[in-house]
Amino acid sequence: MKLKRREILAATLALSGLALSPAAMAQSEEIVKIGYSGPLSGGAAFYGKNVLDGMKFAADEINAKGFDVAGKKVKFEIIALDDQYNPSQTAINAQRLVQEDKVSVILVPHSGGIFAVQTRNEQQKLLLLAYSSLPEITERGNKLTIELPPNITDYMAPFVNYEMGKFGKKAAIAVTDSDYGKAWQKAFKAAWEKAGGQIVSDGTLSYNKSADFYSGVSRALAAKPDVMLIGGPSEPTGLVAKQARELGFKGGFAVIDQAKLDEVSKVSGGMASLDGSIGVLPTMLDPRAETQAFVKRVQKTYPDRIVGSEIGIAYVAVYAVADAMKLAGTDSDATAIRSKMDAAFKELPPSVNFYGYTNVDAGGHALMDGRVGVVEDGKVHEVKIVDLAAKK
C-alpha cells in the first residue's frame, strides 16, 4: 500500500512538472511593449489605423521568426491608444503608456501630438518615433526623437516646378487646418512666391471634422487658380478633389505628403480625376522588387488593402527599433536604444528596408531615397525628388 502511494506521488509530481513546463517557457519569454498614440476615431481614423497596422504587421513578423535581446527571448506587443488627433490627449496617452505599460518607445503620427510629447519625453526616458515631416521636429534638439519621413522642405522645389511648369503661376491653398497642414501652407506659399508665382487664395479646411467642403472649395476657386495645394488625411483629401472637379476646376493638385494618391483616388473618382497632380509615390506603385514583395505580404494578411507609406514606414520603424534594442542589449533604456538607431537602419536587409533608409543624421532624422508620383493620363509615374527639384 505504501509503495502504491509512492508511485501515485511520483506520477503526480511528474505530471505537474509536465504541466508547468509550458508555463515556465512562457515566463522566459519577455513581453516588450511599444506604444502608439494616434487617431483611431474621427476623420483621420483611416490614416491612424494604417500606421497602427504597419506596426502590428512588423511585430507579428518579428515574433513569428523569434527574437532575443541581451540573451532573452522577447515578444513584441503594440499598445495603441486613440488620441483623436488631439495633441493634449497625445500627451496624456504618452504618460499613461509610460506609467502603466512601461514602454520605452512610442510612435506618434501627427505633428501636434509629436510636439506635445516632446515637452516631456526626455524626462520620461521615452524614445519618440515621429511620423511627420516638419523640420521643427528635429530642429528642437530633442535627443530622444527619430523623425521617420522626408522633410516637407524636400518636396517644395519638385512640387512647385512641376505644377507651375504645367499649369501656370496662380495657386490656391486649401489644406487641412491641423498644425501640419499650416506648416505646409507656409512653406508652399514661400516656395511658390519665390519661384515667381502668386497665391490667389490662402486658406485651410477642417479635414478632420467636415464631410462637405463645397463652401471652402468654392471660395478657393472663386480666385481662378491654376493649381490647388490640398491635403490632409487621404479620405477627406479625396472629397476635396472630387468637389473641386465637380465645381469645374481643370488645373493641377499639389497633394501634401500626408495624403496618398492611390487612397485619394478611391474617393475623388478614380486616378483620372487627379490628372496633373503631384504627391508622394504610392507604395503599391513603387517598382522596386522589395517594395512589391512587402505589398504582397501585407495583402495576404489584409486582402484588398491599399498598402501605403503609413503602413510601410511604421513597419520599417518597428524593425529598426527591434534591431536597435538588440544592438544596445536593452529593451528598456531609451537612451541606449536611440544611440543604436543609426546602426540599426544601416543593417536592415532590403526585404525590410524597401524605402532605402540610409542612416540617421546628427539631428535624429532618418534619411531615405525620396520619390514622388505625378499623375498623367490617369496613371501615376515615378519621379525622384532630386530630378524634379533640379528642373526650372
Side-chain angles (χ1 to χ4, degrees):
M1 188 69 174
K2 289 182 179 180
L3 180 60
K4 187 175 181 181
R5 287 174 179 169
R6 290 193 191 101
E7 291 173 345
I8 292 172
L9 180 60
T12 301
L13 290 172
L15 288 171
S16 297
L18 288 171
L20 289 173
S21 180
M25 290 176 64
Q27 288 174 1
S28 68
E29 185 177 62
E30 179 181 314
I31 301 298
V32 176
K33 297 178 180 180
I34 298 176
Y36 170 79
S37 179
L40 299 175
S41 61
F46 180 77
Y47 167 71
K49 189 175 185 301
N50 274 340
V51 177
L52 177 59
D53 284 347
M55 296 178 71
K56 288 183 174 179
F57 191 71
D60 289 345
E61 279 193 351
I62 295 168
N63 292 340
K65 297 172 187 174
F67 200 80
D68 66 90
V69 175
K72 297 181 299 182
K73 292 183 179 179
V74 301
K75 181 178 180 180
F76 290 97
E77 182 179 350
I78 309 301
I79 307 298
L81 298 177
D82 183 13
D83 62 23
Q84 296 184 321
Y85 229 91
N86 183 333
S88 297
Q89 187 60 49
T90 312
I92 293 170
N93 287 351
Q95 181 69 17
R96 177 180 166 187
L97 288 164
V98 169
Q99 290 182 337
E100 297 182 11
D101 296 289
K102 311 301 179 186
V103 304
S104 57
V105 180
I106 184 174
L107 191 150
V108 177
H110 56 100
S111 59
I114 290 164
F115 294 143
V117 173
Q118 281 186 320
T119 62
R120 292 200 61 201
N121 73 304
E122 289 177 305
Q123 291 79 14
Q124 293 168 321
K125 306 298 182 185
L126 179 64
L127 176 60
L128 170 60
L129 302 178
Y131 193 141
S132 183
S133 302
L134 298 185
E136 293 86 349
I137 290 170
T138 52
E139 289 173 355
R140 291 182 166 201
N142 189 290
K143 298 184 184 305
L144 288 179
T145 295
I146 297 291
E147 184 178 12
L148 299 171
N151 278 330
I152 63 172
T153 53
D154 297 336
Y155 294 111
M156 293 305 142
F159 276 42
V160 169
N161 289 346
Y162 179 78
E163 291 294 340
M164 191 178 290
K166 191 173 181 67
F167 291 102
K169 294 188 174 184
K170 295 189 296 181
I173 298 176
V175 294
T176 178
D177 59 1
S178 68
D179 289 342
Y180 190 64
K182 291 174 182 176
W184 258 92
Q185 177 187 22
K186 179 180 178 181
F188 183 84
K189 180 179 180 179
W192 190 265
E193 291 178 341
K194 183 178 179 180
Q198 178 186 6
I199 301 297
V200 295
S201 178
D202 187 6
T204 61
L205 304 174
S206 296
Y207 278 55
N208 296 316
K209 298 177 182 178
S210 179
D212 185 353
F213 302 101
Y214 273 113
S215 60
V217 171
S218 294
R219 285 194 300 272
L221 294 184
K224 301 188 182 302
D226 303 309
V227 174
M228 290 185 71
L229 176 71
I230 64 173
S234 292
E235 287 185 304
T237 301
L239 187 56
V240 169
K242 178 181 179 181
Q243 293 179 348
R245 292 301 191 212
E246 289 172 348
L247 289 168
F249 180 61
K250 303 295 185 183
F253 295 114
V255 183
I256 77 172
D257 60 332
Q258 185 180 0
K260 306 303 180 288
L261 293 172
D262 47 353
E263 296 170 355
V264 171
S265 71
K266 296 293 183 181
V267 180
S268 65
M271 200 61 76
S273 68
L274 299 178
D275 268 353
S277 296
I278 184 170
V280 174
L281 177 69
T283 296
M284 291 183 65
L285 301 178
D286 188 323
R288 288 172 283 193
E290 294 84 2
T291 311
Q292 290 308 305
F294 168 71
V295 169
K296 290 179 181 178
R297 294 201 306 275
V298 173
Q299 290 187 325
K300 187 175 181 180
T301 301
Y302 303 103
D304 302 321
R305 173 69 69 90
I306 294 177
V307 183
S309 57
E310 291 98 348
I311 294 176
I313 289 177
Y315 169 92
V316 179
V318 170
Y319 263 96
V321 163
D323 200 42
M325 289 178 176
K326 181 187 281 288
L327 292 171
T330 176
D331 53 51
S332 59
D333 185 338
T335 301
I337 297 167
R338 166 64 183 87
S339 72
K340 296 297 182 182
M341 288 296 291
D342 177 61
F345 273 109
K346 287 178 178 177
E347 72 175 35
L348 289 177
S351 60
V352 170
N353 186 17
F354 40 81
Y355 288 130
Y357 278 102
T358 56
N359 65 293
V360 177
D361 68 18
H365 190 195
L367 305 178
M368 69 161 74
D369 176 19
R371 305 180 185 207
V372 296
V374 298
V375 184
E376 296 178 351
D377 299 321
K379 295 181 180 180
V380 179
H381 303 273
E382 174 198 17
V383 184
K384 287 190 175 183
I385 287 177
V386 293
D387 294 337
L388 264 181
K391 291 184 178 181
K392 299 294 182 183

